[in-house]
């Protein structure tokens, strides 16, 4: 239960920053942004929860339940296989890039689904 609370806190922060359009002000203004390529192997930048499925409907439910701090529904989604925990640094493959959500495959388990786009990292 503690791990889910920790992950949910990170998920809410990631989603809140994405909604506000917050950018990293410490980034080098001269640096060119990294361009991700579909099919590329990358990593999870932070702990998150994967919404399993062909579309992002389970991720939308995760976001709704996390925002309402509804642990019971999140536990149910995990138990039913509609959600999977993603650990920081976990290797992933990009399947479909999106503005706010990205479809990925977890390299270790083969689970496919959607995470907030900010979860994807080149390192």
């Amino acid at each position: 239960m503690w791990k889910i609370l920790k992950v949910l806190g990170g998920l809410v922060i990631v989603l809140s920053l994405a909604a506000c359009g917050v950018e990293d002000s410490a980034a080098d203004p001269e640096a060119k942004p990294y361009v991700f390529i579909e099919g590329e192997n990358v990593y999870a930048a932070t702990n998150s929860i994967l919404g399993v499925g062909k579309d992002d409907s389970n991720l939308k439910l995760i976001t709704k339940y996390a925002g309402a701090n509804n642990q019971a529904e999140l536990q149910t989604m995990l138990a039913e296989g509609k959600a999977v925990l993603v650990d920081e640094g976990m290797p992933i493959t990009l399947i479909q890039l999106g503005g706010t959500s990205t479809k990925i495959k977890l390299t270790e388990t083969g689970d496919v689904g959607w995470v907030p786009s900010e979860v994807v990292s080149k390192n």
Side-chain angles (χ1 to χ4, degrees):
M1 181 69 113
W2 175 251
K3 184 172 185 176
I4 292 173
L5 290 174
K6 180 179 170 187
V7 170
L8 292 179
L11 181 64
V12 171
I13 290 169
V14 167
L15 294 175
S16 297
L17 291 176
C20 296
V22 174
E23 295 182 17
D24 182 6
S25 60
D28 179 3
E30 304 268 330
K32 294 181 181 178
Y34 183 78
V35 178
F36 292 102
I37 302 168
E38 291 180 355
E40 180 178 19
N41 291 323
V42 292
Y43 300 92
T46 184
N47 294 333
S48 189
I49 302 178
L50 173 79
V52 177
K54 293 181 181 184
D55 62 37
D56 66 351
S57 59
N58 282 330
L59 178 61
K60 288 178 181 176
L61 284 174
I62 291 166
T63 304
K64 179 170 80 172
Y65 296 148
N69 199 25
N70 189 337
Q71 299 295 312
E73 287 299 328
L74 289 165
Q75 287 285 352
T76 299
M77 289 187 75
L78 288 165
E80 293 175 349
K82 294 179 181 178
V84 175
L85 296 177
V86 178
D87 294 323
E88 180 178 349
M90 185 177 278
I92 57 179
T93 301
L94 296 178
I95 296 175
Q96 182 180 344
L97 296 168
T100 58
S101 61
T102 296
K103 188 173 185 179
I104 65 167
K105 177 180 178 181
L106 300 179
T107 305
E108 295 172 2
T109 64
D111 291 311
V112 175
W114 298 81
V115 293
S117 295
E118 292 78 15
V119 171
V120 178
S121 173
K122 66 177 180 173
N123 317 7

